[in-house]
Amino acid sequence: MSLRRFILKRILSIIPILFGVSLITFALVHLTPGDPIDQMVGVNPHVTASDEAQLRDRYGLNRPLWEQYGVWMGNVLTGDFGQVYSNGRDVSAVIMMRLPETIALGIFGWVFGLAIAIPTGIYAAVKKGQLADDASRFIALSGISIPNFWLGLMLILIGAVTLSLWPVLPPSRQPLYHPYMLWYLVLPGITIGTAAAASIMRVMRTSMAEELNKEYVTAARAKGLPEQTVILKHVLRNSLISVVTLAATLTASIVAGSVVVEVVFNWPGLGRELINAINGREINLIMAITLFTGVFIIIANLIADILYAVLDPRIRYD
């Protein structure tokens, strides 16, 4: 199978996945008690039953669920994600406003994970069976096991409360590129990147250790090549196949984990906006953020598949 057909096959598989994600999300949202009108009426005691019925009729919430889903899907296909019920704002505008913060958090966590994992994994593989190897495996296991919310709270306690190096809350009314915002980004970035770093470190170490035992490494050493050249030029290149695909796949985990991290650090991204939308039963906003996150995760997995196919052509025939 050619690379072009392989990519086309993967792209076509996205359509039923997104349809399933939207359908399941729509069903789960409507299985929870209450709707946006209940939330609006709850904060305004002067709204009568007649007013409540008019609001439901206005937003189409009194229609059968299959009809509501059909209307929503038809609007989405035309690029209309609806409005936020409580304030009338366009859902697309809300997502675009919160998206840069989530992207910045994800990039920081991704870069932090790679910067820590690759050198540590290489060093652990070279020192296999020694104290450095045991320490790296312990650190990797700890990084995978520690929950994001606990690690975030500990970083706030130590870095913000005890040492006063970071503010407890993000600076208000500051653009993302402001130095204060970028400095505050360090703690949530470390929190979200720790698990990714631990996973990549383990794969890097295992892959490097396997490559170091192969015949071409013995031959390179027999030719008198410096150990640094053997490791960085020959072994590292072959070891990165697994790491590159895992790094692309972990991008999806970073996006999913940003929900918890953004709530812990009060970071103004899509994750915190999703929690607020769930609390307010904002169906359109919940659907849009979930669908957008699903698209991002699918694209990350698609990139991982493509990279794997490019680096190892045998995967195209599976």
Side-chain angles (χ1 to χ4, degrees):
M1 184 186 301
S2 66
L3 181 60
R4 182 178 298 178
R5 290 185 59 190
F6 175 83
I7 295 174
L8 180 62
K9 181 180 177 181
R10 289 292 190 271
I11 292 176
L12 290 177
S13 66
I14 293 177
I15 299 175
I17 294 175
L18 289 179
F19 175 76
V21 168
S22 66
L23 188 60
I24 293 173
T25 304
F26 188 85
L28 290 176
V29 169
H30 284 84
L31 283 174
T32 58
D35 61 18
I37 307 304
D38 291 332
Q39 299 295 319
M40 295 166 62
V41 170
V43 297
N44 190 348
H46 301 291
V47 176
T48 64
S50 176
D51 296 332
E52 186 176 344
Q54 289 179 4
L55 286 172
R56 284 196 169 86
D57 183 67
R58 174 185 174 185
Y59 293 115
L61 297 175
N62 56 354
R63 300 178 183 178
L65 290 182
W66 64 266
E67 186 176 345
Q68 291 185 45
Y69 179 78
V71 172
W72 177 85
M73 179 60 71
N75 292 334
V76 167
L77 293 177
T78 62
D80 181 13
F81 289 92
Q83 293 180 335
V84 180
Y85 296 110
S86 59
N87 55 31
R89 297 182 62 188
D90 189 72
V91 169
S92 300
V94 174
I95 292 178
M96 290 299 104
M97 182 179 67
R98 300 299 187 187
L99 181 60
E101 281 75 9
T102 297
I103 292 178
L105 177 60
I107 291 176
F108 188 99
W110 191 76
V111 172
F112 172 80
L114 291 179
I116 297 297
I118 292 180
T120 307
I122 294 174
Y123 187 76
V126 173
K127 302 294 182 179
K128 184 179 179 181
Q130 300 181 24
L131 179 60
D133 183 27
D134 295 335
S136 68
R137 284 188 290 176
F138 174 78
I139 294 172
L141 182 60
S142 300
I144 295 174
S145 304
I146 294 175
N148 275 347
F149 71 89
W150 186 86
L151 178 60
L153 292 174
M154 291 302 101
L155 290 178
I156 292 174
L157 178 63
I158 297 172
V161 177
T162 304
L163 301 178
S164 300
L165 295 176
W166 284 270
V168 177
L169 296 174
S172 60
R173 300 180 181 178
Q174 297 290 352
L176 178 60
Y177 54 82
H178 194 279
Y180 289 155
M181 288 292 285
L182 295 178
W183 178 242
Y184 183 80
L185 182 62
V186 172
L187 292 185
I190 292 175
T191 303
I192 202 171
T194 297
S199 298
I200 296 174
M201 185 195 307
R202 294 182 64 186
V203 173
M204 186 77 238
R205 179 223 175 245
T206 303
S207 182
M208 282 284 296
E210 291 177 355
E211 292 295 325
L212 285 170
N213 292 326
K214 292 187 176 179
E215 294 182 358
Y216 76 89
V217 177
T218 304
R221 288 170 173 167
K223 292 179 181 179
L225 293 178
E227 187 68 14
Q228 184 176 358
T229 302
V230 173
I231 293 174
L232 298 181
K233 186 176 181 180
H234 298 284
V235 179
L236 179 60
R237 181 179 180 181
N238 293 329
S239 302
L240 284 178
I241 293 177
S242 300
V243 174
V244 168
T245 53
L246 177 63
T249 304
L250 284 176
T251 304
S253 301
I254 289 175
V255 173
S258 66
V259 175
V260 175
V261 175
E262 288 181 8
V263 172
V264 170
F265 287 91
N266 201 33
W267 184 254
L270 281 179
R272 197 184 71 175
E273 193 68 35
L274 176 61
I275 297 301
N276 293 336
I278 293 174
N279 292 332
R281 300 296 187 271
E282 293 287 353
I283 299 173
N284 290 336
L285 192 54
I286 295 172
M287 293 292 295
I289 294 177
T290 305
L291 189 65
F292 182 85
T293 304
V295 169
F296 194 90
I297 292 174
I298 290 172
I299 291 176
N301 287 315
L302 175 63
I303 293 174
D305 289 340
I306 294 173
L307 289 174
Y308 203 176
V310 171
L311 296 172
D312 187 0
R314 294 172 298 176
I315 195 66
R316 306 177 199 173
Y317 300 96
D318 293 346

